[in-house]
Amino acid sequence: MIYNKNNDSHKEAEAPLFLGQQLGLHDTINVRHPVLEEIFQKQKSVDWSEFEVDLSQDKNDFKTCPVEMRDIMLKNLAFQFELDSCASRATGSLIAPFVTNPELWRCAIKIQEIELLHAVTYSHIARMYLEEPNDLIEESYKNENIIARANKVIDVFEEIQK
């Protein structure tokens, strides 16, 4: 259910985080878990854009660093890119059917947005650093070590999705 027009949890003293009434209005009038509001505000305060940091010097450093270091950096970026791409699609959507508290919902969606920003940032780094930015994508899809490490997390997300 996307919107519960019969939700009357605003009348209840306590709205459970999970498995209560399906969400209706995004009620921030009746805050039952102030710590979640604090967490959400902290999440918002660390927001950034992938374009706000000048990477010119980093790009030059990347070009001149030893090949072994560049290879390690590429593999690390590929792994992070893969995991954050998965997390950006999984974190909020997997728990969404069970969340019945607006404060928790905001935090879950913000986490999903942050994971998406991470993935977008890795794309931006690839465009800035690599002569062939698609090398990062190829590394993510073809490197068996990256795939094996990422599959552990992906398997958990897929198991929850079932």
Side-chain angles (χ1 to χ4, degrees):
M1 174 182 295
I2 298 298
Y3 181 80
N4 178 5
K5 64 183 177 185
N6 298 313
N7 182 297
D8 64 356
S9 64
H10 64 283
K11 297 176 184 177
E12 299 173 13
E14 186 65 34
L17 297 175
F18 298 100
L19 304 174
Q21 292 186 54
Q22 290 294 310
L23 293 170
L25 291 173
H26 191 82
D27 177 10
T28 56
I29 296 170
N30 300 289
V31 175
R32 290 166 181 94
H33 302 280
V35 70
L36 291 175
E37 177 62 24
E38 291 172 26
I39 290 170
F40 177 74
Q41 293 304 324
K42 285 179 185 177
Q43 288 173 315
K44 283 179 46 175
S45 74
V46 297
D47 235 349
W48 76 91
S49 164
E50 69 272 23
F51 299 107
E52 72 184 54
V53 175
D54 180 12
L55 299 176
S56 303
Q57 183 60 50
D58 299 282
K59 181 177 182 176
N60 291 333
D61 292 344
F62 186 76
K63 285 181 178 179
T64 60
C65 75
V67 174
E68 303 81 28
M69 185 180 292
R70 194 170 33 244
D71 189 50
I72 289 169
M73 290 172 62
L74 179 64
K75 286 174 175 46
N76 183 50
L77 281 171
F79 175 68
Q80 295 295 330
F81 190 22
E82 185 163 342
L83 282 185
D84 287 343
S85 294
C86 295
S88 73
R89 287 189 286 282
T91 53
S93 60
L94 290 178
I95 67 167
F98 312 104
V99 173
T100 55
N101 176 277
E103 297 113 89
L104 180 58
W105 178 247
R106 283 179 21 153
C107 290
I109 292 304
K110 191 64 176 171
I111 290 168
Q112 189 164 330
E113 179 188 345
I114 290 167
E115 295 301 336
L116 178 60
L117 181 55
H118 291 167
V120 169
T121 299
Y122 299 129
S123 293
H124 177 65
I125 290 170
R127 287 191 308 274
M128 293 297 298
Y129 284 19
L130 304 176
E131 291 191 27
E132 291 296 329
N134 281 323
D135 288 352
L136 182 64
I137 293 172
E138 293 300 321
E139 186 72 25
S140 295
Y141 283 140
K142 293 183 179 175
N143 184 301
E144 292 299 323
N145 291 325
I146 291 171
I147 293 167
R149 285 177 65 203
N151 275 345
K152 293 174 183 173
V153 174
I154 293 167
D155 289 347
V156 170
F157 284 150
E158 289 179 347
E159 182 64 28
I160 293 169
Q161 189 177 36
K162 291 179 184 176

